[in-house]
Amino acid sequence: MKNIASGIAVFSLACGAFAAESYPAKPIRFIVPFAPGGGTDITGRALAVKLSESLGKPVVVDNRGGAGGVIGADIVAKAPPDGYTLLLGSPGPLTINPNLQKTPYDALRDFAPVSLITISPFMLTVNPGIGVSTVKELIALAKEKPNQLNYGTGGNGSVSHLSTEQFKAIAGIQLTHIPYKGSSQSLADVLSGRVQIMFDNLPIVLPSVRAGKLKALAVGTRKRSALVPEIPTMIEAGVPGYESSTAFGVLVPAKTPRPIVSRLSKDIAAALQGDIRDALAARGFEPVGSTPEEYAAHIRDEMKRVAHVVKLAHIRLE
């Protein structure tokens, strides 16, 4: 039996090596589990162009939005493990939804992480009209006016929702949640003053901050952003233990041959150099390009962190 098992293992390795040598032999489908135009889509399309060049075959973006990214992720989870179906991973389908509801896949078991592409901070911003310039001033105002300040998000269970609820729980304040169908709608109402507060991805809010239409109070990462080094972190601003960011990465179905995963990881790291790196950074994304093991560890850590936030803030899908 031992000899049979050894023979199967050697055969599997040989098949994987052969698959990697001939890979890719046809176009690659790149599932972006959200609608066109958002930060996820921008990242996916920029990477797809560079991967097409390095792999020598078209990498075709396929937007499959719905259910907070779950629909698109499920397509990849159930695809053949041959390297021809990629997923642009993000917090929604990988770490948030699995902590809020039953998903048709196991985020830790049904995917093979390939590479962490970018990390971007979430930024706490306010409409300048409410007259606060620091996180401490916002907390003081919220305590003076419980539930009278509104915060907008891209929807229930979104990263912006969890980010603000985490802030509320740690700071001990009460804000009223106004969920929208996307960050663009939320941003429009914060800019108009109908909503006072918005905690969202740096690429979403940075243009309005630079234009003076929004006041930036803090970023959610543990270190300051190189794009806005003058803005303190939430921890520096007096919210201990706070952390919130969005990470994008590439995953493939579980059991994809390791040589193919390694090939993709190396090509992604190479693709994140040069002009694409500068273009992503200018939009508020911090390029990474990690090993499969590093991305897997990141997903596991984020799964635990989100579970803690959900429990801390008593978050439920409405």
Side-chain angles (χ1 to χ4, degrees), residues 98 141 176 183 189 200 216 262-263 291 293 298 312:
L141 181 63
T176 298
S183 293
D189 272 7
D200 216 310
S262 298
R263 165 78 190 276
T291 66
E293 292 76 17
H298 172 85
L312 176 72

Side-chain angles (χ1 to χ4, degrees), residues 67-68 70 91-103 155-159 161-162 165 303 306-307 309-311 313-318:
V70 170
L94 293 180
T95 58
I96 294 178
N97 279 293
N99 273 300
L100 291 175
Q101 61 185 345
K102 182 175 176 58
T103 55
N156 290 313
S158 63
V159 183
H161 181 202
L162 267 71
E165 288 297 319
M303 185 75 81
V306 172
V309 172
V310 168
K311 183 177 180 180
H314 306 289
I315 297 173
R316 299 286 185 273
L317 286 182
E318 297 173 13

Side-chain angles (χ1 to χ4, degrees), residues 107-179:
L108 298 178
R109 184 192 64 208
D110 294 338
F111 301 103
V114 175
S115 179
L116 179 60
I117 306 171
T118 65
I119 292 180
S120 58
F122 261 56
M123 178 182 276
L124 175 58
T125 62
V126 295
N127 182 289
I130 70 171
V132 301
S133 298
T134 66
V135 174
K136 288 185 178 179
E137 289 177 358
L138 176 61
I139 291 173
L141 181 63
K143 288 184 176 179
E144 180 185 329
K145 299 179 177 180
N147 285 319
Q148 294 181 48
L149 299 178
N150 300 329
Y151 75 91
T153 74
N156 290 313
S158 63
V159 183
S160 53
H161 181 202
L162 267 71
S163 297
T164 316
E165 288 297 319
Q166 182 184 5
F167 170 45
K168 285 173 51 182
I170 297 174
I173 57 176
Q174 296 299 318
L175 305 172
T176 298
H177 181 204
I178 309 295

